[in-house]
Amino acid sequence: DVCSSDLGRRRDFEIAFVGLKPGIHEYNYEIDDRFFEAYQQQDFKNCKAHVKLSLDRKSSFMLLKFEIGGVLETVCDRCNSNLPLELWDEFNITIKMVEEPELMNDQEEDPDVYYIANGESHIYVADWVYEFINLSIPMQKVCTFENMDGPYCNKNAKALLEKLEADEAQKNKENPIWKGLEKFKGLDQ
């Protein structure tokens, strides 16, 4: 049953912290493309990420450390070919228990601090997992090969770019706006 398996997956990300002893507790999550179906369309696929969450339980707050690793496939911004990317990043969240969490969350300027009500017993971490995997992806998704000659580079895109550059250079050479400027060349010497 699809609904119950979705519910089961959601429960995996719900941590009942109220019964946890003070100290560090570890949770591990294996994330694939199915995880992102509950969110908007992603610009990557074939995600095989692992997330290690260390929850340090204190008396009035919790420290959460998310370690993101794994791989996914995106599209190179330069040559439009499929590009495998390695994920590696760390993120920290401090969760504080207060009387008025909504008000405190509205006023808090530090994105790494989150408030929950004193009476809460669970925290739901899936949205942080989603956010931190996305933040682990570089803003510029390009292969490291400057000459577009890497194993994942699109050879057709390279040829097209070279042709466009040659056409542009030829057009600039023939542009009448530059005609007549040759006679001024060398006057300042």
Side-chain angles (χ1 to χ4, degrees), residues 83-165:
L83 177 68
L85 280 182
E86 265 190 64
L87 301 173
W88 171 246
D89 222 330
E90 284 182 6
F91 301 91
N92 296 297
I93 293 280
T94 300
I95 297 180
K96 297 181 179 180
M97 288 154 256
V98 295
E99 287 299 322
E100 297 183 23
E102 291 85 6
L103 180 68
M104 297 295 285
N105 282 322
D106 286 344
Q107 292 175 352
E108 182 58 60
E109 290 180 9
D110 186 344
D112 300 336
V113 175
Y114 186 75
Y115 297 93
I116 60 173
N118 278 327
E120 286 286 338
S121 58
H122 293 71
I123 51 170
Y124 184 64
V125 298
D127 294 341
W128 284 316
V129 169
Y130 167 80
E131 183 182 342
F132 296 150
I133 287 175
N134 273 282
L135 287 173
S136 301
I137 301 168
M139 289 291 280
Q140 241 193 332
K141 300 177 287 289
V142 289
C143 37
T144 52
F145 298 91
E146 207 49 53
N147 298 322
M148 291 174 67
D149 55 358
Y152 306 108
C153 293
N154 181 340
K155 306 289 183 259
N156 294 336
K158 181 182 179 182
L160 182 64
L161 283 172
E162 285 170 350
K163 181 184 180 328
L164 288 170
E165 283 171 6

Side-chain angles (χ1 to χ4, degrees), residues 2-178:
V2 173
C3 291
S4 64
S5 68
D6 284 350
L7 197 60
R9 279 207 302 268
R10 284 180 63 83
R11 280 212 187 101
D12 290 343
F13 296 95
E14 202 170 69
I15 298 173
F17 64 85
V18 77
L20 294 180
K21 292 185 176 119
I24 295 174
H25 305 269
E26 194 175 290
Y27 303 86
N28 288 284
Y29 301 100
E30 296 302 319
I31 307 295
D32 59 20
D33 289 351
R34 285 186 318 163
F35 171 81
F36 297 97
E37 288 168 5
Y39 298 91
Q40 65 192 34
Q41 181 74 35
Q42 305 302 302
D43 59 356
F44 58 81
K45 60 183 179 182
N46 297 332
C47 179
K48 289 173 181 54
H50 41 267
V51 178
K52 179 178 150 191
L53 167 59
S54 302
L55 185 154
D56 190 355
R57 176 87 159 103
K58 309 285 188 186
S59 58
S60 62
F61 67 97
M62 291 176 281
L63 299 172
L64 275 62
K65 178 180 176 185
F66 293 82
E67 293 176 52
I68 312 290
V71 292
L72 52 75
E73 202 173 276
T74 186
V75 172
C76 177
D77 292 336
R78 192 165 38 181
C79 71
N80 212 33
S81 245
N82 287 345
L83 177 68
L85 280 182
E86 265 190 64
L87 301 173
W88 171 246
D89 222 330
E90 284 182 6
F91 301 91
N92 296 297
I93 293 280
T94 300
I95 297 180
K96 297 181 179 180
M97 288 154 256
V98 295
E99 287 299 322
E100 297 183 23
E102 291 85 6
L103 180 68
M104 297 295 285
N105 282 322
D106 286 344
Q107 292 175 352
E108 182 58 60
E109 290 180 9
D110 186 344
D112 300 336
V113 175
Y114 186 75
Y115 297 93
I116 60 173
N118 278 327
E120 286 286 338
S121 58
H122 293 71
I123 51 170
Y124 184 64
V125 298
D127 294 341
W128 284 316
V129 169
Y130 167 80
E131 183 182 342
F132 296 150
I133 287 175
N134 273 282
L135 287 173
S136 301
I137 301 168
M139 289 291 280
Q140 241 193 332
K141 300 177 287 289
V142 289
C143 37
T144 52
F145 298 91
E146 207 49 53
N147 298 322
M148 291 174 67
D149 55 358
Y152 306 108
C153 293
N154 181 340
K155 306 289 183 259
N156 294 336
K158 181 182 179 182
L160 182 64
L161 283 172
E162 285 170 350
K163 181 184 180 328
L164 288 170
E165 283 171 6
D167 290 353
E168 191 64 28
Q170 185 61 34
K171 199 169 97 188
N172 286 341
K173 204 171 163 187
E174 295 168 0
N175 193 333
I177 197 169
W178 305 117

